[in-house]
Amino acid sequence: MHLKLRYALNLIILSSIVTLYSCGGATMKKAGESFEKKEYAVAADMYKELASDSKLEKEDRQKAAFRAGEGFRLNHDPKNALKMYERAQRYGVKDPIILYRIAQMQKQRGEFQAAIEMFKLYQKEVPGDPTIETMIKGCESALKWKEEKTRYT
């Protein structure tokens, strides 16, 4: 009887280990699949985990940090999106869109002066983008409106 109990216990432990091992952690493939399914919160969390993984290649960490930022942005979480975009920039992402995304998130968070500076950096990198002037003017207007008191505030 004691032998059967021990055998059953070992079988349960072994099956638990196999189950946990097969689930695995986040991978670029799993995160990409979640992102493609528009499961942005799930994908963002996976990419965030991957961006922190020092075992990954530099290019994969850059991509993971940027894609985490995109996931958070598309999930309407500008605070975490900004953190991940800034991390991607620190990791060495050279694409100028990173400047634009950082500026967008700063604008959404009400950090208008910082957003103006980032939009201007982006404008230096991509001088032909017609939306930048509008974005800068919008931030400048928001700063002005913040200073002016109206009877509604």
Side-chain angles (χ1 to χ4, degrees), residues 44-102:
D45 288 337
M46 283 190 214
Y47 279 128
K48 183 178 180 181
E49 182 182 328
L50 289 166
S52 301
D53 187 359
S54 60
K55 297 173 189 168
L56 280 181
E57 304 247 344
K58 183 179 178 180
E59 292 80 24
D60 287 339
R61 290 179 73 195
Q62 290 173 347
K63 182 179 179 182
F66 181 77
R67 295 287 297 237
E70 289 290 275
F72 285 124
R73 177 180 68 88
L74 292 168
N75 204 38
H76 307 290
D77 186 355
K79 180 181 177 184
N80 284 318
L82 181 60
K83 286 179 186 177
M84 294 313 297
Y85 287 137
E86 288 173 341
R87 185 182 295 181
Q89 189 179 34
R90 270 195 323 271
Y91 288 168
V93 172
K94 299 295 183 204
D95 190 352
I97 195 69
I98 194 82
L99 301 172
Y100 186 79
R101 295 289 190 232
I102 290 172

Side-chain angles (χ1 to χ4, degrees), residues 2-3 11 14 16 27 42 51 61 67 71 74 79 90-91 102 104 118-120 126 128 132 136 148 151-152:
H2 183 40
L3 187 60
L11 186 62
L14 181 64
S16 298
T27 64
V42 173
R61 290 179 73 195
R67 295 287 297 237
L74 292 168
K79 180 181 177 184
R90 270 195 323 271
Y91 288 168
I102 290 172
Q104 277 185 316
M118 290 307 282
F119 279 131
K120 287 183 178 179
V126 185
I132 294 302
I136 292 172
E148 293 176 3
R151 65 183 188 155
Y152 299 107

